[in-house]
Amino acid sequence: MEHAVAATPAWAVLAYLVAGVLFILSLRGLSSPESSQAGNRNGMIGMLIAVGTTLALHPTGLPLIIGAIAIGGGIGWVIAQRIQMTAMPELVAGFHSLVGMAAVLVGCAAYLNPVAFGITDAAGAILAVSRVEMGLGVAIGAITFSGSIIAFLKLSGRMSGSPILLPGRHVLNLGTLVGILVLTGIFATDATAAMGQGPLLWIILALSFIIGVTLIIPIGGADMPVVISMLNSYSGWAAAAMGFTLQNTAMIITGALVGSSGAILSYIMCRAMNRSFISVIAGGFGAEADAGGPKAAGPAKSYKAGSADDAAFIMQNAESVIIVPGYGMAVSQAQHALREMGDLLKKEGVSVKYAIHPVAGRMPGHMNVLLAEANVPYDEVFELEDINSEFGQCDVAFVIGANDVTNPLAKTDKTSPIYGMPILDVEKAKTVLFVKRSMGGVGYAGVDNPVFYADNTMMLLADAKKMVENIVKGLNGGGH
């Protein structure tokens, strides 16, 4: 039996189709820095068309809807103005949680008042297909919400970035997931649920909130960029499921695009990190109980410390410098000073390139965004697979706040939480200049880096921005 709603007008179908095309063009544009602004514009125009069409189709309660949009938009505008780039990963996780909760609220509203959503048959019972959509939408939305909250807490430092491994977590997660699917099947066929009664939907909701937590807390800091991408995918599928409940073509298209692109990005990132996609989404399947946390302090190791003037002199007299940015650069907001340093080196005839690891920072593309903000030329920025072979021939690897992505233990220590992750081979450079706030800290995965203590490494211990600014002063005052 079909949904008891009026057919969507032809003009609205065409408008949604145009919006969908713009969303696809937006994703295509975002695949390259050069076309990213056009991609953003296409996405905004597409969303404006989709929202405007939906409002035109449902004029009832328009003042309340506009008021809600104004409040939400105002809050978003204020947050966007105040947020620092370093806090962008946890902001993304926080926004994903809101998308998940929106799906949950829509599903619950449809269950409590199905007539208003046009999902009942002649007898007033909720259609079976709508109950399937409702159950899946609520489940995915709840998983997205609670999982994103855990990711937010980990990324913002309010919860340890180390894996938190529950006893029998795999059995717990698998059992909970099977329970959700079985209950959704019962929910779709149960006569009591069809009348909007009984506890089945609420049990599905509770189990989904629980598994969202138990899936994410075992995942360590090194895999957090994948988690961000994965939760993005979940939020898309939640929106698509609610699009079916609301019978809104734009939501279905948009949700499917976000869900599929997020899943593809997660898979690509897992391949780049030599991680199993299944093991990551299953909740840190291969994690060990002691992995990902700070290691106990051992005997003090000797290292070679240098100054900004030392670094300026070394790089001025080099033929090639490869700059490796990391989260430490983001924290100190050193990207503008770093670009100035690169420009001065190029004036001295030094070849300057930037090497980007796919998971540098806390979210996909974090370093690329920061360098683009500082107007670093796109043709100087290279991904790991395109530049890694050049470290053996370069004079200086200038590492600024990047630890895990340059740690050779990923290639040698099978007990390390980053084992198997491809790294930038900075240790192969003739000289490694490593900018770090102090020797006391470790990377997000909690692992010390043997590059710090190598014979060809000079540690530059200071705030990254201040160190680079002092190097710039040295370059301005020096010469060959």
Side-chain angles (χ1 to χ4, degrees), residues 222-231 262 265-267 269-270 273 275 277 280-281 359 362-364:
D223 291 327
M224 265 301 130
V226 180
V227 172
I228 291 291
S229 177
M230 182 179 68
L231 290 170
L265 178 59
S266 299
Y267 177 72
M269 292 182 68
C270 283
M273 296 170 64
R275 291 285 199 264
F277 181 67
V280 172
I281 65 172
V359 295
R362 296 290 187 270
M363 62 182 285

Side-chain angles (χ1 to χ4, degrees), residues 146-217:
S146 56
S148 297
I149 292 297
I150 297 300
F152 171 83
L153 294 174
K154 281 177 172 276
L155 288 165
S156 63
R158 293 173 173 85
M159 175 183 287
S160 172
S162 304
I164 301 173
L165 306 182
L166 300 174
R169 66 189 185 281
H170 303 312
V171 175
L172 173 65
N173 289 341
L174 183 60
T176 305
L177 179 60
V178 170
I180 291 170
L181 294 175
V182 170
L183 288 172
T184 301
I186 297 173
F187 179 67
T189 57
D190 184 69
T192 303
M195 301 309 297
Q197 301 172 0
L200 284 175
L201 184 66
W202 313 120
I203 296 173
I204 293 170
L205 182 59
L207 290 176
S208 300
F209 279 133
I210 291 171
I211 197 174
V213 174
T214 58
L215 279 174
I216 303 303
I217 59 173

Side-chain angles (χ1 to χ4, degrees), residues 61-408:
L62 197 57
L64 287 176
I65 295 173
I66 293 175
I69 292 174
I71 293 171
I75 293 172
W77 186 86
V78 171
I79 292 175
Q81 292 294 315
R82 295 182 177 179
I83 198 70
Q84 297 292 324
M85 276 303 301
T86 50
M88 193 61 69
E90 54 259 42
L91 177 69
V92 171
F95 281 171
H96 286 162
S97 74
L98 297 180
V99 175
M101 181 52 71
V104 169
L105 293 176
V106 170
C108 292
Y111 182 63
L112 295 173
N113 190 8
V115 175
F117 287 77
I119 55 175
T120 57
D121 59 19
I126 303 173
L127 297 170
V129 65
S130 295
R131 276 175 278 154
V132 172
E133 297 162 1
M134 196 183 300
L136 291 177
V138 164
I140 299 172
I143 292 171
T144 304
F145 174 77
S146 56
S148 297
I149 292 297
I150 297 300
F152 171 83
L153 294 174
K154 281 177 172 276
L155 288 165
S156 63
R158 293 173 173 85
M159 175 183 287
S160 172
S162 304
I164 301 173
L165 306 182
L166 300 174
R169 66 189 185 281
H170 303 312
V171 175
L172 173 65
N173 289 341
L174 183 60
T176 305
L177 179 60
V178 170
I180 291 170
L181 294 175
V182 170
L183 288 172
T184 301
I186 297 173
F187 179 67
T189 57
D190 184 69
T192 303
M195 301 309 297
Q197 301 172 0
L200 284 175
L201 184 66
W202 313 120
I203 296 173
I204 293 170
L205 182 59
L207 290 176
S208 300
F209 279 133
I210 291 171
I211 197 174
V213 174
T214 58
L215 279 174
I216 303 303
I217 59 173
I219 300 178
D223 291 327
M224 265 301 130
V226 180
V227 172
I228 291 291
S229 177
M230 182 179 68
L231 290 170
N232 179 55
S233 178
Y234 289 174
S235 68
W237 296 124
M242 286 303 101
F244 282 104
T245 299
L246 296 173
Q247 300 160 69
N248 186 288
T249 306
M251 279 189 70
I252 296 171
I253 293 173
T254 306
L257 286 172
V258 173
S260 57
S261 60
I264 292 169
L265 178 59
S266 299
Y267 177 72
I268 292 172
M269 292 182 68
C270 283
R271 287 188 61 185
M273 296 170 64
N274 198 27
R275 291 285 199 264
S276 164
F277 181 67
I278 299 299
S279 69
V280 172
I281 65 172
F285 189 87
E288 299 295 336
D290 63 345
K295 308 303 177 186
K301 301 176 184 178
S302 60
Y303 62 91
K304 182 167 54 179
S307 66
D309 289 337
D310 295 331
F313 178 80
I314 291 171
M315 286 192 286
Q316 272 183 322
N317 290 279
E319 292 185 1
S320 60
V321 173
I322 298 178
I323 299 171
V324 180
Y327 189 65
M329 181 197 77
V331 170
S332 66
Q333 292 287 288
Q335 61 269 27
H336 295 281
L338 192 66
R339 191 216 67 218
E340 186 179 357
M341 184 189 83
D343 290 344
L344 289 172
L345 288 173
K346 286 185 288 184
K347 289 181 179 178
E348 297 282 346
V350 180
S351 168
V352 176
K353 295 180 179 179
Y354 297 79
I356 306 297
H357 193 282
V359 295
R362 296 290 187 270
M363 62 182 285
H366 199 176
M367 295 301 105
N368 302 74
V369 170
L370 290 172
L371 295 179
E373 181 190 17
N375 294 317
V376 172
Y378 299 136
D379 58 0
E380 294 178 7
V381 181
F382 297 86
E383 301 297 327
L384 178 146
E385 62 271 14
D386 298 322
I387 200 170
N388 222 16
S389 61
E390 297 186 26
F391 281 104
Q393 290 79 46
C394 85
D395 294 311
V396 178
F398 185 84
V399 185
I400 176 167
N403 186 0
D404 299 331
V405 299
T406 63
N407 195 328

Side-chain angles (χ1 to χ4, degrees), residues 431-457:
T431 301
V432 180
L433 299 176
F434 215 116
V435 181
K436 196 172 184 293
R437 183 176 291 274
S438 72
M439 295 301 293
V442 291
Y444 198 59
V447 184
D448 201 9
N449 192 336
V451 174
F452 300 160
Y453 317 103
D455 293 337
N456 63 330
T457 297

